[in-house]
Amino acid sequence: MQQLTNGQKLQLAYRKHIAPYSNYVQCAVTLTLKQTALIRVRRFENYGDEYYEFREYLDEDKLRSTIRFFTAQLTNELYGNKAKHKNKQDWAKPLVITVVEGRNTHKLTHLHLAIGNIPTTHLGNIAHYTQAAFQRCDFANKQLCVKHVTSGIGWLGYITKEVGYTDNDALDIVSSTIPPFIQQSICTESRLLTA
């Protein structure tokens, strides 16, 4: 019997950690990011139409900010103001499991996302909503792929392929969003729900 390497053990641990969410995954999304972006901001709040332009490079902070901004925009596209209401915050949020690839390789930095908890009214047109949310990001590239998932566990296995080999931090647990009702259905121990 072949002994597992530390990288393979890490990959299996990550896959085991996200496997319970596979039943909720509805879409597979791949978003490619630019390495630099031209940022335009208004020069004055209450005067004229002057803009200040500057070039920014994609680093870890801007990558995390882009992921958070995209998730917020996608939430707004799918649920509108429902995500802000206290009595609807439990379910008015998409499941987004995020993996970042290309940081340690020759490939462009890109995101693999497993998205779930999409309202049935929006599921048929999810590519449009995803593209609208992604286009608002400063580092958004033109390459975007959205597909419906037939096997959630298969997509989760694919997106964790680099963990333990080229990038141990590929699975971005911190930037992933999990609606509370999904977390409660998977985890029954109250000490883990509050973490």
Side-chain angles (χ1 to χ4, degrees):
M1 185 165 167
Q2 185 179 355
Q3 195 75 333
L4 294 177
T5 65
N6 288 339
Q8 290 170 328
K9 290 177 186 176
L10 179 65
Q11 186 182 59
L12 287 174
Y14 272 136
R15 286 179 176 171
K16 184 178 177 183
H17 177 72
I18 62 174
Y21 303 107
S22 65
N23 297 332
Y24 299 96
V25 174
Q26 296 169 296
C27 287
V29 177
T30 301
L31 308 173
T32 306
L33 302 173
K34 296 179 196 174
Q35 299 308 302
T36 64
L38 185 65
I39 311 291
R40 288 185 71 196
V41 292
R42 286 189 71 128
R43 188 163 229 162
F44 302 107
E45 285 295 317
N46 57 359
Y47 179 76
D49 289 332
E50 288 187 42
Y51 286 91
Y52 177 67
E53 293 182 346
F54 57 97
R55 184 151 302 275
E56 284 288 333
Y57 290 92
L58 184 66
D59 58 8
E60 283 299 314
D61 291 336
K62 290 177 187 65
L63 179 63
R64 302 260 180 261
S65 176
T66 300
I67 293 169
R68 282 193 307 272
F69 185 74
F70 170 76
T71 303
Q73 294 301 311
L74 183 65
T75 302
N76 186 43
E77 286 288 329
L78 296 177
Y79 292 102
N81 288 332
K82 291 178 185 173
K84 297 177 183 176
H85 291 245
K86 279 193 170 190
N87 63 343
K88 297 175 183 164
Q89 286 178 342
D90 186 46
W91 57 267
K93 181 189 297 187
L95 167 71
V96 180
I97 298 174
T98 309
V99 174
V100 182
E101 287 187 2
R103 289 183 290 197
N104 299 333
T105 61
H106 64 281
K107 298 184 276 187
L108 286 175
T109 303
H110 58 282
L111 307 174
H112 289 302
L113 306 171
I115 299 178
N117 196 31
I118 302 168
T120 53
T121 57
H122 292 50
L123 192 57
N125 208 5
I126 190 63
H128 168 73
Y129 295 115
T130 305
Q131 184 173 13
F134 187 53
Q135 284 179 345
R136 293 189 202 115
C137 298
D138 290 328
F139 290 94
N141 205 339
K142 293 178 183 174
Q143 295 173 329
L144 167 89
C145 181
V146 179
K147 294 183 179 180
H148 292 276
V149 171
T150 55
S151 170
I153 197 73
W155 177 244
L156 292 177
Y158 174 76
I159 65 177
T160 55
K161 68 186 177 295
E162 286 192 6
V163 174
Y165 294 99
T166 58
D167 190 0
N168 289 339
D169 296 329
L171 180 62
D172 193 353
I173 295 173
V174 174
S175 297
S176 298
T177 58
I178 302 166
F181 83 94
I182 292 176
Q183 186 65 33
Q184 290 169 359
S185 71
I186 292 171
C187 181
T188 57
E189 292 190 40
S190 61
R191 66 181 174 82
L192 295 175
L193 287 174
T194 58

